[in-house]
Amino acid sequence: MARILHIEDDPSSRLLVRKLLSAAGHEVIDAATGLEGVRLASEISADLVLVDINIPDLDGYEVALRLRGSARLSGVPIVAITAEGDRDTSLAVGCDGFLEKPIDARKFARTIERFLDGHREWPSHAEPKLREASHRIVERLEAKVKELSEANVRLEELARIRREFLRNLSHELATPMTPVVGYLKLLLGGELGAITPMQRKALVAVEAGACRLRSMVDTLLDVSSLETGRLHFYAREYDFAKVARRAVDEARPRFADRELTVTERIASGPLSGLGDPEKLRRAMAHLLDNAVKFTPQSGALAIEVTAQADEFWFRVGDSGPGVPRDRLEKVLEPFYQVDGSVTRTHGGVGLGLAFARRVVEAHGGAIVLTSPPPRPIAGIALTGTEVSLRVHARPTLSNLPIDPALGP
């Protein structure tokens, strides 16, 4: 039994070839486009390739040229099958045979077996035909390059418009939030008069919602500034362990709200570094917020802060559902969420990890997601996701301009 790759966009032709060759005991793998055919040819071990000349994206001639240049397909017969193609051109670009449509159902399987047994056809005038085919291919590639270039210009313009929209939207949202938060503090502080317990309860709920909204607006502003290159980092001496403890302490109310069991192992001695501690703290806060959000009620978290050589590590693990392997990198992109529906269980707009990633990269580091955690964190084995923040103790100062006002 031979494995045959059939590259053909017409479903009825694919079905006919599959029936005829399967009846003869062969395995047939279909591809509907030239690009898909090239991809499959690089992944499977085909004994013969059947390719139609008139197929989408890359045509049959281009596919034959591409496949014939692959060491993986050395010696594998490539047979063109078409109603409109040219025999000499097909053979000149690398095909070993040429079959016209409509195929003869009575002889088709035997013809294919002849090619499997070593039969080959040769072009009568290879050089001129090859030059003609090459010229057509160059023209197609030139047109594709032009099309892609124009598309790239459009994408760059759309990206610019998106950045401006995010920046303007962030400022428009931030402006009315300032008096809302301010007046709420005055009301809760009793500076505008006495309030009843019921009013206080309502104001506390409003304040919690306003603070959450303000946090999202701040993150949106940061991500917008990062994308436009307007977010500045300032370097000063700091203690990485102290920054981590502050981020963890600020997250404790959320730990308590969800009744989480939190295990911490934070380096006791100072971890002296050079960087922007405020933005690093916010990056850590986003990692913790993300872990809390995806950990079930009464679940478990583990936090570990260590130093390795000239690097600092902040690791957070949870007992949540984890992240599918094919989405681990995507969740670090702005606005991406594993469940982006309006009915999703978890809130947020998908900006926290994106912001943290850019802050860490500015410090010469990276954020890595693994699901499940590959090893215990703070001595605790967890089944959800580990998010690791790694930064250089003293990154390149060109990324972190020194602010004289933020000295040691």
Side-chain angles (χ1 to χ4, degrees), residues 264-406:
E264 304 169 27
R265 183 181 292 171
I266 300 177
S268 56
L271 302 180
S272 299
L274 183 70
D276 192 325
E278 177 57 25
K279 290 186 176 62
L280 283 174
R281 180 196 61 78
R282 291 173 60 194
M284 295 175 187
H286 282 301
L287 266 61
L288 293 168
D289 180 72
N290 191 73
V292 171
K293 184 165 55 177
F294 289 98
T295 302
Q297 187 79 14
S298 302
L301 283 184
I303 303 164
E304 184 177 273
V305 176
T306 58
Q308 300 174 21
D310 60 345
E311 294 180 335
F312 299 144
W313 288 79
F314 180 86
R315 292 185 172 96
V316 182
D318 62 63
S319 60
V323 179
R325 186 182 299 272
D326 61 340
R327 302 188 183 186
L328 286 171
E329 284 297 321
K330 294 180 181 178
V331 298
L332 294 173
E333 295 299 322
F335 304 106
Y336 182 85
Q337 294 180 311
V338 175
D339 179 6
S341 67
V342 294
T343 59
R344 63 187 184 275
T345 304
H346 312 290
V349 292
L351 287 173
L353 289 181
F355 169 78
R357 180 185 190 179
R358 281 152 178 76
V359 168
V360 171
E361 288 174 348
H363 285 76
I367 287 182
V368 179
L369 274 73
T370 50
S371 186
R375 63 169 183 78
I377 302 172
I380 304 297
L382 296 166
T383 58
T385 303
E386 174 186 336
V387 185
S388 297
L389 178 156
R390 171 181 57 82
V391 297
H392 282 288
R394 296 186 175 276
T396 304
L397 293 181
S398 60
N399 292 333
L400 299 168
I402 297 177
D403 184 354
L406 297 175

Side-chain angles (χ1 to χ4, degrees), residues 128-402:
K129 294 292 184 181
L130 184 57
R131 283 199 303 267
E132 292 174 12
S134 299
H135 180 69
R136 286 196 299 270
I137 291 170
V138 169
E139 287 182 335
R140 280 174 55 88
L141 290 177
E142 183 180 3
K144 287 292 182 183
V145 169
K146 183 179 179 181
E147 179 182 338
L148 290 173
S149 297
E150 292 174 350
N152 188 54
V153 170
R154 292 196 297 271
L155 287 174
E156 289 179 352
E157 176 64 14
L158 288 174
R160 182 190 64 79
I161 293 172
R162 188 196 69 156
R163 288 193 296 268
E164 291 183 355
F165 170 76
L166 287 177
R167 186 175 65 251
N168 294 334
L169 176 64
S170 302
H171 284 290
E172 289 297 325
L173 289 173
T175 300
M177 284 302 301
T178 300
V180 169
V181 173
Y183 280 118
L184 280 171
K185 289 186 179 299
L186 292 175
L187 286 168
L188 287 169
E191 297 180 41
L192 300 181
I195 57 175
T196 67
M198 186 62 69
Q199 289 172 335
R200 178 172 294 278
K201 182 178 180 180
L203 287 172
V204 167
V206 172
E207 184 187 39
C211 289
R212 182 183 173 193
L213 180 58
R214 183 57 184 264
S215 177
M216 286 191 291
V217 171
D218 289 343
T219 303
L220 188 62
L221 275 168
D222 288 337
V223 172
S224 174
S225 299
L226 279 166
E227 290 192 346
T228 57
R230 297 183 180 184
L231 185 63
H232 299 292
F233 295 87
Y234 297 103
R236 61 168 170 167
E237 295 289 337
Y238 74 100
D239 180 352
F240 188 83
K242 183 177 179 181
V243 172
R245 289 192 196 95
R246 182 183 169 195
V248 173
D249 288 341
E250 290 174 350
R252 293 194 192 282
R254 294 206 63 195
F255 299 161
D257 287 344
R258 296 186 63 79
E259 302 177 339
L260 303 180
T261 300
V262 182
T263 305
E264 304 169 27
R265 183 181 292 171
I266 300 177
S268 56
L271 302 180
S272 299
L274 183 70
D276 192 325
E278 177 57 25
K279 290 186 176 62
L280 283 174
R281 180 196 61 78
R282 291 173 60 194
M284 295 175 187
H286 282 301
L287 266 61
L288 293 168
D289 180 72
N290 191 73
V292 171
K293 184 165 55 177
F294 289 98
T295 302
Q297 187 79 14
S298 302
L301 283 184
I303 303 164
E304 184 177 273
V305 176
T306 58
Q308 300 174 21
D310 60 345
E311 294 180 335
F312 299 144
W313 288 79
F314 180 86
R315 292 185 172 96
V316 182
D318 62 63
S319 60
V323 179
R325 186 182 299 272
D326 61 340
R327 302 188 183 186
L328 286 171
E329 284 297 321
K330 294 180 181 178
V331 298
L332 294 173
E333 295 299 322
F335 304 106
Y336 182 85
Q337 294 180 311
V338 175
D339 179 6
S341 67
V342 294
T343 59
R344 63 187 184 275
T345 304
H346 312 290
V349 292
L351 287 173
L353 289 181
F355 169 78
R357 180 185 190 179
R358 281 152 178 76
V359 168
V360 171
E361 288 174 348
H363 285 76
I367 287 182
V368 179
L369 274 73
T370 50
S371 186
R375 63 169 183 78
I377 302 172
I380 304 297
L382 296 166
T383 58
T385 303
E386 174 186 336
V387 185
S388 297
L389 178 156
R390 171 181 57 82
V391 297
H392 282 288
R394 296 186 175 276
T396 304
L397 293 181
S398 60
N399 292 333
L400 299 168
I402 297 177

Side-chain angles (χ1 to χ4, degrees), residues 58-81:
L58 299 178
D59 66 23
Y61 299 134
E62 294 162 347
V63 170
L65 276 172
R66 177 67 180 86
L67 297 184
R68 191 48 73 207
S70 170
R72 185 184 182 93
L73 295 172
S74 177
V76 175
I78 301 173
V79 179
I81 177 170

